[in-house]
Each structure stands twice: as C-alpha cells, then as structure tokens.
Amino acid sequence: MGPRHERREEQHAAFEAFVRARTPALTRTAYLLTGDAHLAEDLVQGALVKAAEHWHRVETSPEAYVRRTLYTQQVSVWRRRRGVREHALGAYDAAAAAGHDPDLRLSLVEALRRLTTRQRTVLVLRFFEDLTEPQVADVLGVSRGTVKSTTHHALARLRVLAPDLADLVEDPA
C-alpha cells in the first residue's frame, strides 16, 4: 500500500464519519424543505452521493457543500413540479421536539403543511438555517426581493392559518 492508497482510505473514513454524524440533522433540514420523510431521505442521499464524488474538494467544509446541494436539488425539484400537488408535512423526528409544547408543535406543523414548497423552503432557510436574505437569494437563485416578498407572504399566511403562533411569527421586515 502506497501513500495514495492510504490517503484514499483516510478520505473514505472521513466521509463515513461525516455521514454518520450529520445525516440526522441533514435529514431534518431536508424534511423541512420537502415536507415528506421519504423525499427528505432521497434528497439527503442525492446530496451525499454528490459529496462523495467530490470529497477530495469538499472535505474541508462538507456540511456547507451538502446543505447547498440539498437546497439546489430541492429548488430543481420544485421548478420541475410546478403545478403538481404539494406534499403535506407528517410526523418526523419526534425526539428533536422533546421538551417543546406539543400543542404549539402541532399548530406549527399543520400551518407549515399548508404553505407552498417555495414558502416553506424560504422560511426554513431564513429561520431554521438562519441565513440572511442575500444568502437565501443566492442559494435559491432568485432575487433578494423575491426572498423578502416570499418571506412576508409566508409569515402573513402563517398568521392567518395559526393565530395561536402570532408570538412566533414576526415579520423581520
């Protein structure tokens, strides 16, 4: 075994460690983006395959690469599926919600089910992933104005759909 083979083994081990450590968090994000557990798993698998193919380039910052891949793949799906019925959010990763008010969680999940994929994606990126408007615009390949408008409309819709969430739903504009 030469140094090249050893390096390949190290990269393989690093990739496997990343997958084991980060798959649950990546899957939660993908679920919030897709609204469907099976689609979320498919989205994560696709992103991890791309990361594996380019690991030698992305191993210094794999999380950023995989998350960006999740977002861009979801945007591609959402552009291809225009006019197709949306998937509703179902119960997913109840352990992540431990310690939270179950009634509040149910209200939020029900309200999110009724948002469009685009609205849900923008809210996930802005408030779950804590990206700025310019970062969201860059990730989604849209203008900053589109991000602002979509955020505003999504939050307004959440206020109507779930008035009991009013304290959580504040328009940052």
Side-chain angles (χ1 to χ4, degrees):
M1 280 197 274
R4 187 178 230 180
H5 185 280
E6 289 175 10
R7 176 68 180 136
R8 202 173 302 133
E9 289 292 321
E10 289 172 7
Q11 287 178 331
H12 184 74
F15 177 74
E16 284 186 355
F18 172 77
V19 169
R20 277 192 302 279
R22 300 306 303 153
T23 295
L26 293 168
T27 303
R28 280 191 296 274
T29 298
Y31 173 73
L32 291 171
L33 293 170
T34 63
D36 179 270
H38 299 291
L39 293 175
E41 290 169 359
D42 290 346
L43 193 63
V44 170
Q45 283 181 347
L48 290 173
V49 165
K50 288 185 179 199
E53 291 169 353
H54 302 288
W55 190 254
H56 64 283
R57 289 192 337 245
V58 303
E59 71 179 308
T60 57
S61 185
E63 181 98 11
Y65 178 86
V66 172
R67 286 185 181 276
R68 180 165 177 97
T69 302
L70 287 175
Y71 308 144
T72 56
Q73 285 181 331
Q74 180 59 16
V75 168
S76 295
V77 166
W78 145 58
R79 285 182 176 149
R80 282 192 309 265
R81 295 188 51 209
R82 285 188 179 144
V84 176
R85 187 182 170 287
E86 300 290 329
H87 290 281
L89 291 171
Y92 195 77
D93 201 8
H100 296 292
D101 180 359
D103 292 331
L104 182 64
R105 178 175 163 72
L106 288 173
S107 293
L108 182 58
V109 168
E110 182 58 35
L112 288 173
R113 282 183 181 152
R114 297 173 64 192
L115 294 178
T116 67
T117 301
R118 179 179 230 171
Q119 289 174 331
R120 197 167 45 237
T121 300
V122 168
L123 291 184
V124 167
L125 294 176
R126 284 285 288 128
F127 303 109
F128 182 75
E129 293 296 324
D130 203 27
L131 297 181
T132 64
E133 288 171 351
Q135 289 170 322
V136 173
D138 184 50
V139 166
L140 299 179
V142 298
S143 72
R144 184 172 174 215
T146 298
V147 172
K148 288 177 83 165
S149 172
T150 303
T151 301
H152 174 76
H153 291 295
L155 292 176
R157 189 161 181 209
L158 282 178
R159 278 187 214 95
V160 170
L161 296 172
D164 52 322
L165 299 175
D167 292 340
L168 297 177
V169 182
E170 293 180 21
D171 202 336

